[in-house]
Amino acid sequence: MFLCVLLLGLILKNEIQVESARILGIFPTPSKSHYALGNVLLKELARRGHEVTMISPFEEKHPPPNSSYRDIKLEFEISEADKSSNFFSSDMSNPYLVTLFLNYVGCKMLNATLNFPNVQKLLESEEKFDAVIMDQFVDDGFSYFAHRFGANNILVSTTTAKAWVNPLVGNPAPPSVVADLLLNFPNRMNFLERLQNTIFYLYSVLNIHLYFFPQQNKIIKENLPEARPLYDYLYNVSLVLINTHESYTDPSSMVPVMKNVGGYHVSPAKKLPEDLQKFMDDSKEGVVYFSMGSNLKSKDMPKEVIEAIIRVFAKLKIKILWKWEDDSLPGQPPNLKLSKWLPQQEILGKCLDIIIHE
Ligand SMILES: *[C@@H]1O[C@H](CO)[C@@H](O)[C@H](O)[C@H]1NC(C)=O
Ligand SMILES: *[C@@H]1O[C@H](CO)[C@@H](O)[C@H](O)[C@H]1NC(C)=O
Ligand SMILES: *[C@@H]1O[C@H](CO)[C@@H](O)[C@H](O)[C@H]1NC(C)=O
């Protein structure tokens, strides 16, 4: 009898027990592609009953019904100079200069975020969080939030596990075998490439420890005088989610707190708009989809690169869909369809359909 009551009690207890966590997302990069990864993750957590708060420059207009999803919106003013910065310019192919540019962007973003009244209000509040999930992209100072709220710090690396992330969790990435993301070297580097990679590695380490981290620390101290030094909590990381998949990256070491999650933000493809559906159905040989994403614009590519690409495309029997951000493309061959925006997921979904069905 006693056992029955005990069992019943246990069953009832399990039935009504609700375990939800309070989760803070920080995705301050004013770039849709960074935001999308955090947004999908946090929306799903909210749908599963967790209380979610999201700090970002964007707003979720359709949070899951009856869920607890709150936005703290960063009203960034992106100056014309920053907006028109062209990643195809010669400066942007120089990894040493890109590093300096990322320093500048990362510090500007942290300082601006800490200066928003809605963010300050959150930091002054008595709110508690169990976990902070943050975009790990040249903005390490944001680790302060997890420390401030006594929460687990979960990093989302929107690129692969490279120089920015590895040291935070003690993941070995010797420059003799792991090429830096900014250098574009093959997995099997020759001697000269290994040498260049090692020099760049040393430069990155010096930059991070002598300039970037001290600068991030200074910005935090300026805004929050009572804060402890960055190094006290920077390495206190519970989990790293990496936006890649082992099927298309080079082999590299991964400590157990690192998990590859590439593709998790993809949802089943919806119907294509009619004109695209027809274009793809009519392309019996298949379709090439060409897009540089949202940050890089095809129209900003150097003229000779554009011309070379057109020359190659014109020779192909296959039709081509090109995300091209201008009204027209001089010398456009007939097998090319241009559009300023394309439903990428639906197009790739359709390609997958073709592959699976044939
Ligand atoms: C949301 O809550 C309302 C009122 O409690 C309820 O009528 C509705 O069915 C709920 N919707 C979902 C999707 O759970
Ligand atoms: C941070 O922003 C404030 C206010 O805009 C400004 O006064 C300060 O100089 C900035 N600090 C850094 C290190 O950029
Ligand atoms: C380190 O993270 C844990 C949660 O994983 C937290 O309880 C602790 O306060 C953090 N330590 C510091 C110094 O922030």
Side-chain angles (χ1 to χ4, degrees):
M1 181 61 196
F2 172 70
L3 203 63
C4 280
V5 173
L6 188 71
L7 278 178
L8 191 68
L10 278 179
I11 290 167
L12 282 179
K13 182 170 177 287
N14 273 339
E15 290 257 301
I16 51 172
Q17 196 172 14
V18 182
E19 276 197 28
S20 76
R22 290 183 51 96
I23 298 165
L24 174 66
I26 310 178
F27 286 76
T29 314
S31 153
K32 275 265 176 176
S33 54
H34 284 246
Y35 171 72
L37 292 168
N39 174 252
V40 170
L41 179 60
L42 289 170
K43 258 182 13 189
E44 180 59 22
L45 288 167
R47 199 186 62 74
R48 294 186 186 199
H50 299 291
E51 270 181 65
V52 167
T53 303
M54 173 65 134
I55 301 179
S56 86
F58 303 96
E59 208 169 348
E60 174 53 58
K61 300 232 165 60
H62 307 285
N66 297 352
S67 73
S68 168
Y69 187 107
R70 168 176 59 150
D71 273 316
I72 294 183
K73 193 172 175 214
L74 307 174
E75 307 277 354
F76 280 134
E77 275 174 34
I78 300 165
S79 71
E80 284 307 312
D82 287 349
K83 224 188 272 177
S84 66
S85 72
N86 178 351
F87 283 93
F88 292 107
S89 70
S90 55
D91 286 358
M92 283 300 155
S93 57
N94 179 331
Y96 291 86
L97 294 180
V98 171
T99 304
L100 300 183
F101 173 70
L102 293 177
N103 282 346
Y104 164 78
V105 173
C107 289
K108 209 168 156 176
M109 206 160 63
L110 178 67
N111 194 29
T113 304
L114 293 177
N115 271 289
F116 282 115
N118 49 2
V119 174
Q120 284 168 351
K121 206 169 130 214
L122 179 75
L123 284 171
E124 284 160 12
S125 73
E126 298 286 304
E127 290 200 43
K128 288 264 171 294
F129 291 98
D130 301 300
V132 171
I133 302 180
M134 62 174 257
D135 177 11
Q136 207 287 333
F137 180 68
V138 289
D139 53 5
D140 295 87
F142 284 100
S143 288
Y144 173 77
F145 284 74
H147 166 66
R148 155 71 184 80
F149 293 111
N152 287 291
N153 199 13
I154 299 173
L155 310 179
V156 178
S157 172
T158 47
T159 60
T160 52
K162 290 287 153 115
W164 302 307
V165 189
N166 287 321
L168 299 178
V169 288
N171 190 44
S176 52
V177 285
V178 180
D180 194 281
L181 182 66
L182 297 180
L183 290 183
N184 269 332
F185 285 157
N187 177 231
R188 280 170 191 266
M189 292 179 278
N190 62 29
F191 175 73
L192 210 63
E193 286 164 343
R194 285 205 306 274
L195 183 66
Q196 286 183 57
N197 194 45
T198 304
I199 294 170
F200 186 69
Y201 176 87
L202 293 174
Y203 166 80
S204 300
V205 170
L206 291 177
N207 171 64
I208 280 186
H209 290 288
L210 296 182
Y211 180 77
F212 186 66
F213 286 165
Q215 200 62 22
Q216 294 265 300
N217 186 48
K218 187 173 148 228
I219 291 168
I220 294 169
K221 281 278 184 195
E222 233 175 61
N223 290 283
L224 306 147
E226 74 288 1
R228 274 165 62 179
L230 182 65
Y231 280 110
D232 283 10
Y233 49 83
L234 183 65
Y235 295 92
N236 194 14
V237 174
S238 300
L239 178 68
V240 184
L241 304 177
I242 301 168
N243 181 34
T244 189
H245 192 270
E246 48 277 19
S247 59
Y248 65 82
T249 48
D250 297 329
S252 65
S253 59
M254 262 174 76
V255 291
V257 288
M258 295 177 132
K259 301 287 174 210
N260 281 345
V261 294
Y264 76 85
H265 63 294
V266 178
S267 51
K270 291 191 282 289
K271 260 188 85 161
L272 277 170
E274 241 166 66
D275 61 324
L276 280 178
Q277 180 76 36
K278 186 164 177 338
F279 179 83
M280 293 187 80
D281 285 343
D282 289 351
S283 315
K284 294 290 168 247
E285 272 90 19
V287 173
V288 170
Y289 170 64
F290 184 67
S291 162
M292 303 297 291
S294 54
N295 291 345
L296 305 187
K297 308 235 180 302
S298 298
K299 71 177 173 69
D300 294 335
M301 285 192 291
K303 201 160 164 275
E304 54 290 0
V305 174
I306 296 175
E307 283 166 4
I309 292 174
I310 292 176
R311 266 201 308 280
V312 173
F313 280 172
K315 281 191 210 138
L316 299 177
K317 284 215 180 78
I318 299 176
K319 291 195 188 178
I320 289 132
L321 269 177
W322 188 343
K323 179 178 169 287
W324 174 260
E325 301 82 6
D326 243 342
D327 290 325
S328 65
L329 172 65
Q332 176 184 352
N335 62 336
L336 215 82
K337 185 176 168 66
L338 307 175
S339 181
K340 287 186 188 171
W341 183 85
L342 286 161
Q344 172 162 300
Q345 203 171 298
E346 278 63 45
I347 291 170
L348 298 181
K350 168 96 179 141
C351 295
L352 210 61
D353 244 27
I354 296 171
I355 295 166
I356 289 168
H357 288 134
E358 280 168 13

